[in-house]
Each structure stands twice: as structure tokens, then as C-alpha cells.
Amino acid sequence: MARQVKGHLFAEYVRMIRANKEIDWTEVLDAEALSWTRQQIAPEKWYPMDVFEKLGLAILEKVANHDLNLIHRWGRQTIDELKAVHPDLMVDNDPRETFMRFQILRQALFDFPAVKVTTIRDGKAILEIQYGMSGEAEEAAVHQSLGFLERLLEVSGAREAKAEILEGTWEGFPATTIVVSWK
């Protein structure tokens, strides 16, 4: 069965491509992937993960110039939009509860177990991420997730939020493990 991603995430990539009209996307996207960028994307519908990966790799190359720090910053910026769509996600001054709510939401964004919280306690969480993409796409998506998680915690009242990669699938590990810490 083909893996899928919710339209809310898919639309982020489509918007980024549409916003960069000066880029010749035909250099990095095939006709099928380009056709998705011309369609109306419904936030609650499911979209193909393989196309999501292609769009992400195209953005990585053409917009970010393979700069993973830029991808990390982009992940941080997505929180405000997500907060508007899911206002119950954030719990003021309770980063741990916000993190738990994020875990429930994340399960609804993929039709496969992409992210699993293996440990959580006040001030620290360990996650396993397995998007099932190529090494380059997986690494970029994880860096975007790091920025997203740090900002999610900050918005909920955490101080010194930090997310780090312990091991990655692009390095040959079966899953990517990250640790998220905060005060």
C-alpha cells in the first residue's frame, strides 16, 4: 500500500513551489509531480508520500541550495500556521502536554507510523522518525522536524528548547533517533 501524507503538510510544499515562480521546476520535477503543484490541495485529504518526497527534494535543491540550516529555520516558521489550524495543540506554560498533543496530531498527518515518541518526561523526549524516504530527503525532513519541535516547545512556554539528531537512517541506522530537551 502506498504511504500518504495529509494535505496540510503537502500544501506547505506546494505553496513553496508556487511562491518561487522564477525557478524552472521542470529541471527537478517530473510531469506528475508538477501536476500536483497546479491543483487545489485540501488540508484534510490524503496525498502520495512519494510525490511529497519529490517536492521536498526539489525545494531542498532549488530554494534551500541544500542548506539544512535553512530547512531547520523553515521548520520553525511552520508553527504559527499549524497553531492557527489546530488551536488546541498548544498548552500555555506546559511544554510536556503540548508535546503529547503534538504526538497525537502527528499520527493524524501520516497514514503510517512516521514518528514515535519512545520516551517523554519533563524536560526531555526521545523520538524515532522513519519517513521511509531516500537518505537525502529523510535528512532534510528530519532537520525541518527539529526546527518545528524546538519552536513548538518555545511557543508553549519552554526555555532553551533544543532538538538533536542522535542517529539517522541516511547514516545506515534503521530509524532516526532524536532527543528533544527543554527547561
Side-chain angles (χ1 to χ4, degrees):
M1 182 169 123
R3 296 170 301 119
Q4 299 179 98
V5 61
K6 269 293 172 113
H8 174 75
L9 295 179
F10 197 88
E12 284 182 36
Y13 285 17
V14 169
R15 276 194 298 276
M16 178 66 75
I17 289 169
R18 289 177 183 167
N20 288 279
K21 295 178 187 342
E22 74 285 357
I23 294 174
D24 181 2
W25 293 105
T26 61
E27 293 177 355
V28 290
L29 292 172
D30 59 25
E32 179 202 8
L34 278 171
S35 73
W36 286 101
T37 67
R38 297 181 195 108
Q39 297 180 30
Q40 179 76 19
I41 306 300
E44 295 306 314
K45 284 185 67 181
W46 290 104
Y47 294 88
M49 188 71 181
D50 64 324
V51 175
F52 184 68
E53 178 179 357
K54 288 176 187 178
L55 299 178
L57 285 170
I59 292 166
L60 178 64
E61 180 176 335
K62 293 294 191 174
V63 177
N65 199 28
H66 299 278
D67 183 346
L68 294 175
N69 290 319
L70 185 60
I71 297 297
H72 182 270
R73 288 194 306 272
W74 182 27
R76 293 180 62 83
Q77 293 174 354
T78 62
I79 289 299
D80 293 331
E81 181 182 323
L82 188 65
K83 186 177 178 180
V85 174
H86 299 281
D88 294 337
L89 175 63
M90 309 296 176
V91 180
D92 289 339
N93 298 313
D94 195 343
R96 186 177 186 275
E97 179 61 26
T98 297
F99 200 85
M100 294 304 292
R101 290 181 183 195
F102 155 74
Q103 175 60 15
I104 294 166
L105 172 65
R106 195 67 160 184
Q107 291 170 357
L109 297 176
F110 298 94
D111 71 346
F112 60 96
V115 179
K116 180 173 103 177
V117 177
T118 60
T119 304
I120 187 163
R121 59 181 185 261
D122 287 337
K124 184 176 182 178
I126 299 174
L127 294 84
E128 281 188 4
I129 299 177
Q130 210 167 7
Y131 294 117
M133 299 187 288
S134 68
E136 184 178 30
E138 192 90 7
E139 184 176 19
V142 167
H143 277 80
Q144 185 178 1
S145 296
L146 295 178
F148 174 94
L149 291 167
E150 289 170 355
R151 183 69 183 135
L152 173 74
L153 291 166
E154 291 168 0
V155 169
S156 70
R159 292 176 292 110
E160 299 178 38
K162 185 175 183 177
E164 300 176 274
I165 301 167
L166 298 180
E167 51 191 38
T169 57
W170 56 93
E171 299 167 324
F173 293 95
T176 297
T177 304
I178 65 170
V179 63
V180 183
S181 58
W182 65 92
K183 292 184 180 178

